[in-house]
């Protein structure tokens, strides 16, 4: 420890000299970076030493199930201050603060990505190996300085995340979907599937979920569109939110679900529970992967079937990606109006084709016309969302599903995103969601639910 102390003290004393002299240094093949790297290595070594002493002092108390999170945090930080106070290494106050914060993040949080998870402006954190971390801010990707100590450190962090919700990731099951306590979506892939080291992707969700007014402020849709969609939800229309990966479907689904009256019984079904509803009567169901023996899996389709026996007023499915589409259509067609779900697709017409494909995945030998009749009867509205070139997420279509004409389902756009406005000097889209001037056929159906829509919402001017 003494040699480490001497080296770190020398590095601390030389830091000012190195900084002043750096203007005269001539970088040759990056050699001028050597002192900084050596000091950083010493810093990491000291951090590891303090970390180990902290673990020795606290021991099994870290895993005491009777301790609350706040009590555990107070205990760790108090002990950490004692250990740091006992250490005689010459460190600046900033370095001591950094060591304390990084160790606290490792024990209480998720290591080097914890500061990014706390940042409310970030929407995604991507770890492409132990020393390669990227973030998404404002729709743009940026590489950051943080890094894990090694692959083992990254694997421990992944295990900490997935174990808290009873899931696992190992060589026999090297991919996992999980969630953080705030609902943020987590995906992890480890070797041998991930060739260059474990991969971790976290799509953050705000602790305070976005409201319709937030999406209006972001430009995702307009005030008139929000009023129309609120009427559709309250009028118990069946709605599908479609779009590509990262287009903001789950956020829009959360906003639409917030329009459901608080006196209704709502059942949410998801792979990883992300929706944040504040109504009084919400039942949350989450699918379960198979255990280590390959048994015990409960998929979305099983949960949709079971939800029909739970006296739901509304069924909200986080994402339909397989044969669960057939059961969802059956639910919509058997009196469970007002259901909402999301589907990956490229547009409203493609959404219908995706549903047909997923119904066929159920293995039922159904003629295509029968499937399309089911879809036309079940689905009322498609809300399609896209992620534009500037990184913004916008609703581009609000489309009515009308009826069958021959062998084709007819669609009618109610609101469409107008791209003709182009982009500003910063490359940000100037387009907007505009009314087509067409009135949907289901207004009479809304009236039967005592929901009335102002006809001026469909006027073409004044958007």
């Amino acid at each position: 420890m003494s040699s480490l102390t001497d080296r770190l003290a020398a590095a601390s004393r030389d830091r000012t000299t190195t900084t002043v002299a750096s203007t005269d240094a001539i970088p040759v093949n990056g050699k001028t970076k050597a002192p900084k790297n050596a000091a950083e290595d010493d810093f990491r070594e000291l951090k590891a030493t303090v970390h180990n002493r902290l673990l020795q002092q606290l021991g099994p108390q870290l895993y005491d199930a009777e301790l609350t999170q706040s009590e555990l945090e107070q205990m760790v930080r108090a002990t950490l201050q004692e250990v740091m106070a006992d250490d005689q290494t010459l460190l600046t106050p900033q370095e001591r603060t950094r060591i304390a914060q990084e160790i606290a993040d490792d024990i209480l949080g998720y290591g080097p990505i914890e500061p990014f998870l706390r940042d409310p402006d970030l929407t995604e954190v991507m770890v492409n190996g132990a020393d390669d971390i990227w973030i998404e801010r404002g729709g743009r990707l940026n590489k950051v300085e943080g890094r894990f100590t090694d692959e083992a450190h990254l694997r421990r962090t992944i295990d900490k995340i997935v174990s808290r919700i009873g899931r696992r990731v190992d060589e026999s099951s090297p991919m996992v979907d999980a969630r953080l306590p705030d609902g943020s979506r987590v995906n992890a892939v480890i070797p041998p599937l991930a060739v260059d080291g474990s991969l971790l992707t976290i799509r953050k969700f705000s602790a305070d979920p976005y409201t319709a007014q937030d999406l209006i402020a972001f430009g995702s849709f307009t005030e008139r569109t929000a009023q129309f969609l609120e009427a559709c939800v309250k009028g118990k229309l069946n709605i599908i939110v479609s779009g590509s990966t990262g287009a903001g479907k789950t956020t829009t689904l959360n906003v639409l679900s917030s329009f459901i009256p608080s006196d209704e019984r709502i059942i949410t079904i998801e792979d990883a529970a992300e929706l944040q509803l504040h109504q009084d009567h919400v039942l949350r169901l989450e699918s379960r992967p198979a255990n280590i023996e390959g048994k015990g899996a409960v998929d979305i389709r099983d949960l949709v079937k079971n939800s029909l026996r739970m006296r739901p007023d509304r069924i909200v499915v986080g994402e339909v990606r397989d044969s669960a589409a057939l059961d969802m259509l059956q639910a919509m067609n058997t009196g469970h109006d007002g259901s909402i779900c999301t589907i990956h697709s490229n547009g409203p017409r493609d959404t219908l084709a995706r549903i047909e494909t997923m119904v066929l995945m159920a293995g039922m030998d159904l003629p295509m016309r029968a499937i399309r009749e089911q879809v036309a009867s079940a689905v009322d509205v498609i809300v399609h969302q896209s992620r534009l070139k500037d990184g913004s997420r916008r609703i581009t279509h609000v489309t009515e599903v009308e009826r069958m004409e021959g062998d084709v389902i007819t669609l009618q756009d109610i609101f469409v995103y107008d791209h003709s406005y182009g982009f500003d000097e910063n490359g940000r889209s100037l387009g907007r969601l505009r009314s087509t001037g067409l009135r949907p056929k289901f207004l009479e159906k809304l009236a039967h639910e005592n929901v009335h829509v102002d006809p001026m919402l469909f006027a073409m001017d004044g958007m």
Side-chain angles (χ1 to χ4, degrees), residues 94-115:
Q94 292 83 358
E95 288 170 330
R96 288 184 176 274
T97 301
R98 178 183 165 192
I99 286 182
Q101 186 61 56
E102 289 185 6
I103 293 176
D105 286 344
D106 271 341
I107 295 177
L108 299 170
Y110 303 110
I113 62 173
E114 184 66 26

Side-chain angles (χ1 to χ4, degrees), residues 281-298:
H281 204 161
V282 179
L283 292 79
R284 306 170 73 202
L285 301 180
E286 186 176 61
S287 65
R288 185 180 71 182
N291 60 21
I292 197 168
E293 298 173 349
K295 300 178 180 179
V298 179

